[in-house]
Every structure is written in structure tokens, then in C-alpha cells.
Amino acid sequence: IERVEVITNPSSKFQPDGTSGIINIVLKKNTATGLNGSVSVNGGNQNRYNGSSRLNYHPGAFNFYGGYSFRRDNRHRNMSITVGERDSAGTPINYREDLTSVSSPISHSVNLGFDADAGDGTSFGASGNYWHNNFTAMDHAVNIYRDSAGTQTQGFDRDRYDNEFQEDYGFRFYVQHQYPEKDKTLRLDYSFAGNP
């Protein structure tokens, strides 16, 4: 650790919504050059698994990095709803729905970026990210209406298939100048994010 900063009025760089201040721990710069990376794979019960890979290349004044992650889940849900009400004649009726749902969300996330040291305390960099989630769900519902005596008056089954997706993307660019005076830095940030 190089130093610890207490920032009582955080800039938009730190997305400070709802916070009164932050503690910023500044680490010493790692000047080691070369190529390094990591790969991680995880698995769980009910066909749940995820993995990620990260790569960093630091030949000197430039630092390039990127990563990719993947996640898949199988979600099973059983739900019952019982509602007591009255029809237009005021007769008590009972409605019950039993729902079985199976869904399989699959998500991908990619990020790429670079940092550069321009000398004289000036550095700049850019990064981008993209996230995609594909969600498939199959529902089967059994609906039954009963009168006040418990006799079934009507009923029906409902099947639903839903296939949808979500996407998010973002981009960030910064320029920073570190002055010779301790704890004196000028930094400009530009970022945007959205979804189609």
C-alpha cells in the first residue's frame, strides 16, 4: 500500500450515489513487464457452472488487459396461490393455481482495455465491457375454481414458453496527470453505458 485517502466528497468516477464519503486505498504501481493471466472454472449441483479467464500484457509503457466470463444456471420453482373471493351473486368461490417453472439463464461478459504512461506524470487509458444474458423459461400452471362446498366448477391448464435476452455495454476513457506535489492529481473521466 502506498497511501490511504479519505475522500469526503467523491467524484462521479466512484459512482458515489447515496454515500457520504469513501476510503481510497492506493497501491504501489507494479512495474513488472510481461504476459500473465488466470483461468477459473466452477461447477455446482443441478447443472450450474461458470468460468472466467483474464489476460494482461504489459510490455513497458502500455498495459493491455481483457477478460471473459460465462455463467449458466438451471432454476426450478414450484409455487401455489390460493385466493378466496365472491362471484357477482355474492357466492363464495375459491381459486387455486399450482405453477411449475424451469428456467435456464446463460450469461456472457467481455471486457477489454488498456492503460498507457505518457511520461512526466501523465497517463491515459480506455476500457469497454459488454454483457449478454439469454433467459429461457417454461411454465406449466394448473388452475382450479371451486365453490363454497369444495366442488370444482371449472379448471384449465396453461403452458408458457418465454425466450428473452438482456444486453448492457459501457465505455470509459480517462486522462490523468500526477503533479510533483504529494496528493495533487488532475484527472478527467468520460464514460457512458447503455442497453439496446
Side-chain angles (χ1 to χ4, degrees), residues 28-104:
K28 294 180 180 179
K29 285 189 175 181
N30 184 2
T31 58
T33 59
L35 179 69
N36 62 74
S38 65
V39 175
S40 172
V41 178
N42 299 290
N45 62 344
Q46 298 185 7
N47 202 24
R48 296 176 178 171
Y49 50 88
N50 63 72
S52 65
S53 61
R54 305 207 176 276
L55 193 65
N56 189 85
Y57 179 54
H58 183 40
F62 282 86
N63 180 48
F64 301 94
Y65 57 89
Y68 167 76
S69 63
F70 170 85
R71 180 183 180 97
R72 174 172 180 164
D73 291 323
N74 274 352
R75 302 175 184 174
H76 300 270
R77 182 179 63 171
N78 295 312
M79 181 176 65
S80 294
I81 300 173
T82 302
V83 179
E85 53 188 34
R86 294 179 181 272
D87 61 16
S88 58
T91 304
I93 59 174
N94 181 279
Y95 164 75
R96 179 182 175 93
E97 178 182 79
D98 293 314
L99 174 70
T100 301
S101 175
V102 178
S103 59
S104 302

Side-chain angles (χ1 to χ4, degrees), residues 76-154:
H76 300 270
R77 182 179 63 171
N78 295 312
M79 181 176 65
S80 294
I81 300 173
T82 302
V83 179
E85 53 188 34
R86 294 179 181 272
D87 61 16
S88 58
T91 304
I93 59 174
N94 181 279
Y95 164 75
R96 179 182 175 93
E97 178 182 79
D98 293 314
L99 174 70
T100 301
S101 175
V102 178
S103 59
S104 302
I106 300 174
S107 62
H108 305 268
S109 178
V110 179
N111 72 294
L112 296 169
F114 78 92
D115 298 301
D117 185 357
D120 296 328
T122 301
S123 60
F124 62 94
S127 63
N129 61 76
Y130 174 76
W131 177 77
H132 178 92
N133 182 41
N134 190 69
F135 190 91
T136 302
M138 291 175 287
D139 296 345
H140 177 72
V142 178
N143 300 268
I144 297 175
Y145 288 86
R146 298 181 185 276
D147 59 20
S148 57
T151 304
Q152 180 176 335
T153 57
Q154 60 176 308

